[in-house]
């Protein structure tokens, strides 16, 4: 048993929780299973790994550049508030677990059981109807941390062995079922890109795909938008993104003031002009977004081709579920910016509402949910419902994120530790799961797992003819529905 755990620890530390190497390893294995020459397999590994590292650089740049600015609102107005952000949420969950006298190290064992259970559900796809393998390692760690606290909160006297088994099965089911919900939406968006989303807003993506066409019109997409006169400069996504961020963050940084920003941002040099600092910060958004799209194109191309080897030999009919940012290269770049802006507008409006109605918990916007969730929704919404859907859905999402985050931070008692997970699924589905666990105990957990497993069954019954084809052979699927 010690040998198994040592191997798992090595794999978990060096590969699973390092998504760049995890994706690179999958690409290498896939090409070898396709019997490609060793040098081609190695080249694919390098390109996929570098592509994901570029994506990581861009994502980290976005988060590190703008999180202090949004969090600075807390200091500026002396608010005692919870930040809705997975990193703040993970820290709050870990603190809560340790304050309760429990061991946070169990989280990695939970992750192992959950990952294995996801693989089992895919292997049994003939009966489970599960098609996706969740491979976004850092997201798996964040979710395992928060979910571990939910179990301790609901079962304070539960033995450690029962905790890891029960939570491993619950999380593995969620990863498999929720990512499976995004298959159709992703295949249609990417025109057979061969991947699904394994992130923090999978339920939201499914909802967006279902309602976007009812909110707006597909032919009024951002791609078809022609701006008149001088406004035509905003048809260029770099200009549009840079300008919109200059206005948005310029206002926020103006409210915070130079003195506070000097304290919270070590990159703001004492002798740097405040106006030029605002320009630099704001335009960096366009820089990191461009870098992100470059990385996406690199690793997605390799992963899509190589995963056929794994799908054919090891996990028949399976689809990798990856970072939501992988979808950004398949939509208009301005959709990402619009999603972020309208999501932020919804969040800010709801935060004002919490203050006006004297909510017991105040919320501070977290950059990860307000950007990655809502940008993703806008990309999918624009595909089916155009600009109108790309504005309305992220706006409503922002409201839901604040309301759900405030409830969860209060009910699960993480507000006192400064944060909650904050992403869409963790402001909607997971608070419900937590409440059911708290009041339903073991029966509640069993009901949740069974209800989740029923979802792919319902998906299959609704579309028996094309359910597996859309994931395995998109061209055949398109030709069959066109007949």
């Amino acid at each position: 048993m010690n040998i198994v755990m040592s191997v798992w620890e090595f794999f978990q530390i060096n590969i699973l929780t390092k998504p760049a190497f995890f994706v690179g390893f999958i690409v290498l294995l896939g090409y070898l299973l396709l019997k490609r020459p060793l040098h081609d397999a190695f080249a694919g590994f390098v390109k996929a790994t570098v592509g994901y590292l570029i994506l990581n650089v861009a994502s980290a740049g976005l988060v590190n550049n703008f999180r202090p600015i949004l969090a600075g609102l807390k200091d500026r107005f002396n608010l005692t508030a919870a930040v809705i952000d997975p990193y703040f949420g993970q820290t709050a969950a870990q603190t809560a677990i340790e304050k309760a006298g429990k061991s946070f190290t169990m989280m990695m064992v939970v992750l192992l059981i959950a990952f294995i259970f996801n693989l089992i559900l895919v292997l049994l796809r003939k009966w489970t109807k599960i098609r996706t393998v969740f491979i976004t390692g850092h997201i798996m760690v964040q979710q395992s941390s928060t979910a571990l606290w939910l179990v301790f909160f609901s079962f304070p006297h539960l033995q450690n062995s029962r905790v890891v088994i029960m939570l491993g099965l619950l999380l593995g089911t969620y990863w498999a079922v929720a990512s499976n919900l995004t298959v159709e939406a992703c295949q249609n968006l990417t025109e057979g890109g061969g991947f699904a989303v394994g992130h923090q807003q999978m339920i939201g993506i499914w909802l967006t795909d279902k309602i976007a066409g009812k909110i707006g019109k597909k032919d009024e997409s951002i791609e078809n938008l022609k701006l008149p006169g001088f406004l035509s400069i905003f048809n260029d996504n770099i200009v549009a993104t840079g300008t919109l961020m200059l206005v948005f963050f310029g206002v926020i940084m103006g409210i915070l003031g130079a003195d506070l920003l000097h304290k919270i941002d070590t990159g703001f040099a004492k002798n740097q002009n405040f106006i030029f600092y605002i320009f630099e910060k704001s335009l960096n958004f366009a820089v990191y977004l461009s870098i992100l799209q470059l990385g996406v194109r690199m690793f997605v191309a390799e992963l899509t081709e190589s995963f056929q080897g794994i799908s054919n030999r090891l996990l028949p009919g399976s689809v990798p579920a990856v970072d939501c940012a992988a979808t950004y290269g398949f939509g208009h770049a301005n959709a990402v910016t619009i999603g972020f802006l309208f999501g932020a507008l919804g969040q800010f409006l709801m935060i004002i509402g919490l203050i006006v109605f004297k909510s017991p918990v105040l919320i501070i916007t977290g950059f990860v949910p307000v950007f990655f969730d809502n940008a993703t929704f806008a990309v999918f919404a624009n595909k089916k419902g155009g600009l109108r859907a790309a504005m309305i859905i992220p706006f409503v999402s922002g409201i839901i994120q604040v309301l759900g985050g405030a409830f969860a931070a209060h009910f699960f008692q993480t507000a006192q530790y400064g944060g909650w997970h904050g992403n869409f699924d963790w402001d909607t589905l997971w608070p419900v799961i937590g409440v059911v666990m708290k009041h339903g105990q073991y029966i509640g957990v069993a009901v949740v797992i069974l209800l989740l497993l029923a979802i792919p069954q319902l998906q299959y019954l609704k579309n028996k003819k094309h359910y597996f084809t859309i994931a395995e052979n998109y061209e055949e699927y398109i030709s069959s529905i066109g007949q």
Side-chain angles (χ1 to χ4, degrees), residues 4 14 18 22 77 87 93 128 153 156 172 183 192 210 252 287 310-311 321 323 381 399 426 441 452 455:
V4 173
N14 297 287
K18 303 289 185 183
F22 194 18
F77 296 102
Y87 294 96
T128 64
F153 176 79
V183 170
K210 296 300 179 186
I252 293 176
V287 172
I310 293 174
S311 182
D323 197 302
I399 293 173
W426 293 81
Q441 295 293 286
L452 286 174
I455 292 174

Side-chain angles (χ1 to χ4, degrees), residues 183-195 218 304 383-384 466 468-482:
V183 170
E184 286 78 8
C186 288
Q187 286 293 81
N188 288 326
L189 174 71
T190 64
E191 298 181 353
F195 66 89
K218 184 177 181 179
T304 300
K383 177 71 175 180
K384 283 197 168 181
H466 304 300
F468 289 112
T469 306
I470 192 173
E472 297 172 8
N473 192 330
Y474 188 74
E475 292 182 2
E476 180 183 327
Y477 160 74
I478 290 297
S479 63
S480 65
I481 62 173

